Amino acid sequence: MLRHRLITKSLTVAETGEITGIAWGTGPDAAGDVIHPGSFGAVAGPVVMLWQHDPAEPIGVWDRVEEKRDGLHVSGRLLIDSSPRAREAHAFLREGVVNGLSIGFRLEKKAAPRAYGIGRDIRAANGLRLHEISIVTRPSHPGAHVTNMKSAADASAIASALSRFRASIART
């Protein structure tokens, strides 16, 4: 049985390989980097999904990347029909062995060090360019965990419950 929890970053995986989540939340990551709201700007086109930030291991594509108030929201697909590594990633995600998201980006202009602590203060003026979003074992940003996982069994149970409910209404 899967457990559900509320966290800053999230990832949902369907049996068919669809993934949704928050690839970057608010607050600093493990290196102390803070990406301020508005820094991602518009992300053009699909973004590659990598396994553990390895450019030789593409496993899917992020079709939608949208910056919202609480972070960088993403949705995409593991290419489980054409990639053995994507099928493996899907199994690891399903079992909770791997459960993180991590972004790969470059800055056009150097970011200032944070006023306190370690890391960089990244703002829109730094020209952040998102290159990839990876499925990772240990994400740099805290709270990067799978929150739930939809499955065919869940859908079947919901459909069955709806059928019983409709039947009970028809009888009354």
Side-chain angles (χ1 to χ4, degrees):
M1 178 172 219
L2 296 171
R3 296 181 194 177
H4 301 271
R5 22 182 192 160
L6 297 173
I7 53 177
T8 304
K9 286 171 55 176
S10 63
L11 180 65
T12 303
V13 184
E15 287 297 314
T16 55
E18 289 90 11
I19 296 177
T20 61
I22 300 177
W24 186 273
T26 58
D29 68 3
D33 288 342
V34 174
I35 299 176
H36 293 275
S39 296
F40 288 101
V43 179
V47 175
V48 68
M49 181 188 303
L50 296 180
W51 176 249
Q52 308 284 356
H53 291 295
D54 185 346
E57 295 280 2
I59 58 171
V61 63
W62 299 102
D63 298 310
R64 185 183 64 81
V65 179
E66 181 182 3
E67 186 177 6
K68 294 183 180 180
R69 193 175 51 118
D70 62 339
L72 189 66
H73 289 248
V74 296
S75 64
R77 304 168 272 126
L78 284 163
L79 300 177
I80 57 177
D81 291 335
S82 56
S83 167
R85 179 65 80 192
R87 285 191 294 280
E88 182 179 56
H90 186 257
F92 287 150
L93 286 162
R94 194 173 55 240
E95 295 300 320
V97 175
V98 174
N99 60 5
L101 289 176
S102 184
I103 63 174
F105 64 92
R106 297 216 190 280
L107 300 176
E108 291 178 357
K109 298 178 184 173
K110 187 175 178 179
R114 289 183 49 212
Y116 56 92
I118 59 173
R120 301 170 291 180
D121 225 4
I122 301 170
R123 299 181 182 276
N126 299 114
L128 186 147
R129 298 292 173 248
L130 187 65
H131 288 283
E132 53 93 2
I133 302 171
S134 287
I135 305 295
V136 297
T137 307
R138 297 194 185 275
S140 181
H141 200 284
H145 302 283
V146 172
T147 55
N148 67 23
M149 191 162 139
K150 297 176 185 176
S151 72
D154 293 338
S156 177
I158 291 169
S160 177
L162 282 172
S163 293
R164 288 192 309 274
F165 176 70
R166 286 185 187 125
S168 71
I169 290 174
R171 283 184 248 141
T172 58

